[in-house]
Amino acid sequence: MLLLLPIAVNALLALAPLQARPLLACRADHAGRRNPVRWHAGRMTAMDPEAEALPDAPIPGLTTVSANEHGPSGAVPAADECPPEDVTALELLRFTLPVLTAALSAEIMSVVDTAVVGTLGPQQLAALGPATMLSDSTVYLFFWLNVACTNLFATHFARGEHRDAFAVLSDALYVSLACAALLVVGLSWGGGAALARICAMAPGALPGAKQYLAIRILGVPALMTATVLQGACTGMKDATTPFIAIVLGGLLNLALDLWLVLGCGMGIAGAASATVVSQVVQVLVLAVIVKRKRSRLVPGVTAPTLLQRPPSPARLVDFLSFAGPIFCVLIGKISCYNSMTLAATAGGVVALAGPPG
């Protein structure tokens, strides 16, 4: 559960680059007119040539809107088209909270698994700790894909370059699928040995942990693809689509957990299966909605999938430039919280079944 906090912080930080672009704003002059201005790096520039000179200091009560609200042409609205002045913190929360929920989708499903499997006793609950540690934290290492897609997609989308924005999404999907393939191979090859070391002091948890991990691995491509699609939605300032997908996936996961774990008696394997099915449904919902948005924003595109031609080396560099710094930060955070699970293994099955920290 403690892993949710750094993930939440990173989800909000992923939105920060969107605030670094020049902002269009409105101010009232001495005649009472509201004139469009551009605010960037602490200075304002009049967008209306006939507007009076602007001071260098910030104006109290300045109303701002993001530049991507001014259409493909990039034209600045007339003075009577200035945005309303009643933008509130509540509207910001309406956007950030769904985005935050989307970033926590995998962890939320793992918590649901824990709640349901916990009714079966400490043996199977203890197996979830090491297995979810490997399945969730290794995928979380690739959260930079979401950050890269959000930034690059939003940059083109704000300029009205919708075709280029969806080309960025295609590149991100190729990279995510390649990373997912490498991760699946790595966990399939070394996951069992890693669990054996982790559960050395709690051998009773090892069979269940291996069983859970073997099934959860199958959902890695869907989970990483969903991460990229969520980044594209964030770049379009669409917080509703990921939220709908998360709610549907979460409810399906809960229903399948209750049915497979308790109704069918599948135990920990049922929990893993429920999570994988929910992740696949979740990514399909996201893909369908994003594809419809592409059809509306980029006329003439008839490709059956969101994938276009493979990315060039130059475009790959754009994505990998995000990998280094973010990867190092994520390694530090994951190491801290995973060490709690490793420390719990020294206490045996009962200690491992309890919450870390």
Side-chain angles (χ1 to χ4, degrees):
M1 288 296 293
L2 290 176
L3 186 60
L4 298 181
L5 180 59
I7 295 174
V9 173
N10 276 278
L12 295 177
L13 290 179
L15 304 176
L18 299 177
Q19 310 302 323
R21 298 185 182 85
L23 297 178
L24 295 177
C26 288
R27 72 173 184 93
D29 59 19
H30 294 297
R33 296 184 309 163
R34 299 177 66 219
N35 299 309
V37 298
R38 184 178 295 274
W39 173 264
H40 186 51
R43 299 179 64 86
M44 289 191 299
T45 305
M47 305 306 295
D48 183 353
E50 299 181 357
E52 61 188 71
L54 299 171
D56 289 339
I59 295 180
L62 190 69
T63 301
T64 63
V65 293
S66 59
N68 61 359
E69 295 183 6
H70 299 285
S73 65
V76 178
D80 59 355
E81 296 177 355
C82 286
E85 297 183 355
D86 57 351
V87 178
T88 64
L90 179 60
E91 293 176 341
L92 179 62
L93 288 176
R94 287 175 181 171
F95 179 77
T96 55
L97 289 181
V99 172
L100 179 60
T101 303
L104 300 175
S105 59
E107 288 70 29
I108 291 173
M109 290 188 181
S110 294
V111 170
V112 173
D113 287 350
T114 301
V116 177
V117 172
T119 63
L120 303 179
Q123 188 77 20
Q124 297 206 43
L125 183 58
L128 278 180
T132 54
M133 182 185 73
L134 282 181
S135 61
D136 289 347
S137 62
T138 52
V139 171
Y140 180 51
L141 287 175
F142 293 90
F143 188 75
W144 58 268
L145 285 167
N146 177 281
V147 178
C149 185
T150 300
N151 280 264
L152 299 176
F153 189 100
T155 298
H156 290 290
F157 196 84
R159 297 171 181 167
E161 301 166 351
H162 298 155
R163 188 177 298 272
D164 291 337
F166 282 95
V168 166
L169 174 58
S170 174
D171 295 344
L173 289 173
Y174 274 111
V175 175
S176 68
L177 290 174
C179 293
L182 292 175
L183 187 56
V184 168
V185 172
L187 289 176
S188 299
W189 179 69
L195 287 175
R197 288 178 174 270
I198 295 171
C199 299
M201 301 299 294
L206 182 58
K210 285 185 175 181
Q211 189 179 26
Y212 184 87
L213 181 62
I215 298 174
R216 280 292 301 270
I217 286 174
L218 301 177
V220 168
L223 179 56
M224 294 184 67
T225 300
T227 298
V228 169
L229 292 175
Q230 291 165 8
C233 290
T234 303
M236 289 186 278
K237 295 177 64 178
D238 175 16
T240 303
T241 295
F243 186 71
I244 291 174
I246 296 306
V247 170
L248 290 177
L251 293 176
L252 179 61
N253 185 39
L254 177 59
L256 289 176
D257 265 340
L258 295 174
W259 179 49
L260 296 176
V261 176
L262 303 180
C264 298
M266 293 178 61
I268 194 171
S273 301
T275 299
V276 171
V277 171
S278 301
Q279 288 171 342
V280 171
V281 170
Q282 187 180 104
V283 75
L284 289 176
V285 171
L286 283 170
V288 168
I289 297 178
V290 172
K291 187 173 180 293
R292 289 179 178 175
K293 289 179 178 291
R294 185 189 65 177
S295 300
R296 186 176 66 252
L297 295 170
V298 188
V301 176
T302 58
T305 69
L306 292 168
L307 292 172
Q308 301 176 21
R309 57 186 176 184
S312 64
R315 298 177 76 97
L316 283 176
V317 170
D318 289 338
F319 279 95
L320 296 178
S321 64
F322 287 85
I326 298 178
F327 187 82
C328 292
V329 172
L330 298 180
I331 280 287
K333 292 179 178 180
I334 289 174
S335 298
C336 174
Y337 293 102
N338 285 355
S339 64
M340 299 180 185
T341 300
L342 294 175
T345 61
V349 170
V350 174
L352 189 57

